[in-house]
Amino acid sequence: LAILTTVKYTVPKLLGGFCAQHPGIDVAMVVGNREKLLQRIAHNEDDLYIMGQPPEGLDLVCEDFADNPLVLVAPPDHPLVGKRQIAPQRLHQEPFILREPGSGTRLTAERFFADHGVTMKNRLEVGSNEAIKQTVAGGLGLAVLSAHTVVAELALGELTQLDVRGFPLIRRWHLVYPRGKRLSAAAQAFKHWLFTHRQ
């Protein structure tokens, strides 16, 4: 199983339940960014892949199984904290902490803001959600992240979710594998488990 870094907040729990039910199945899980997963798909290195935005132009089976809402987070002392229904255009001059180019989260956020006539002002590019959260908490900018990745930080008050019109952006998690691939019995069992135990 190869999963996107953002999925590591949800899928391992499902995997734990699956392994408890199927103790005879050995599971190996690789966690990587979108580019790494695309390379692994191209070389057919894994049975199944879980990602947010399936790649275009590849002959793949893509089945969505759960919501992946994207939220806009800020440090707790940001001037927009507590404001209601903030217009996206209001964020025109705000610095953003962004994932690497090609990241599905970044592509979705850039498309949303472009549709509202806003170019995201790139303050910093960071390759992991953990580093982005720390950077935002440190007051260096705003970020768009999967809601699954910021549950603890929001609860602890380290980050605050801004009420921006159009957010959360709803994306879906997808189970992906090359079309025509014969899935092993173990892969079929996990696929069935995923779709019957999704949240």
Side-chain angles (χ1 to χ4, degrees), residues 171-190:
R171 297 176 67 213
R172 300 280 292 166
W173 292 124
H174 294 84
L175 183 71
V176 177
Y177 54 93
R179 192 175 304 283
K181 179 173 188 150
R182 283 196 63 203
L183 295 181
S184 66
Q188 288 179 11
F190 180 70

Side-chain angles (χ1 to χ4, degrees), residues 6-75:
T6 310
V7 191
K8 71 181 181 185
Y9 297 89
T10 51
V11 168
K13 292 176 195 159
L14 287 168
L15 201 53
F18 173 76
C19 290
Q21 286 287 319
H22 301 86
I25 295 178
D26 290 328
V27 177
M29 185 172 71
V30 174
V31 180
N33 65 15
R34 181 176 170 79
E35 188 177 330
K36 181 175 181 177
L37 258 63
L38 293 179
Q39 289 172 354
R40 293 185 72 85
I41 290 171
H43 294 106
N44 198 18
E45 293 183 51
D46 311 280
D47 289 319
L48 300 167
Y49 304 85
I50 296 179
M51 57 197 321
Q53 199 165 319
E56 296 172 9
L58 294 178
D59 193 15
L60 302 170
V61 174
C62 304
E63 301 174 66
D64 63 284
F65 65 90
D67 278 344
N68 174 27
L70 302 182
V71 295
L72 206 152
V73 293

Side-chain angles (χ1 to χ4, degrees), residues 40 49 52 68 78 81 92 100 114 120 136-137 152 158 160 169 174 179 181 186 193-194:
R40 293 185 72 85
Y49 304 85
N68 174 27
H78 194 278
V81 169
H92 179 61
E100 70 280 0
M120 296 176 80
V136 172
E158 295 169 4
T160 304
L169 306 176
H174 294 84
R179 192 175 304 283
K181 179 173 188 150
W193 177 269
L194 192 62

Side-chain angles (χ1 to χ4, degrees), residues 87-114:
Q89 294 78 6
R90 171 63 186 79
L91 305 176
H92 179 61
Q93 287 301 317
E94 292 288 339
F96 276 85
I97 314 303
L98 301 174
R99 283 295 301 261
E100 70 280 0
S103 149
T105 299
R106 178 172 174 166
L107 291 169
T108 302
E110 286 176 337
R111 190 176 307 125
F112 170 82
F113 283 108

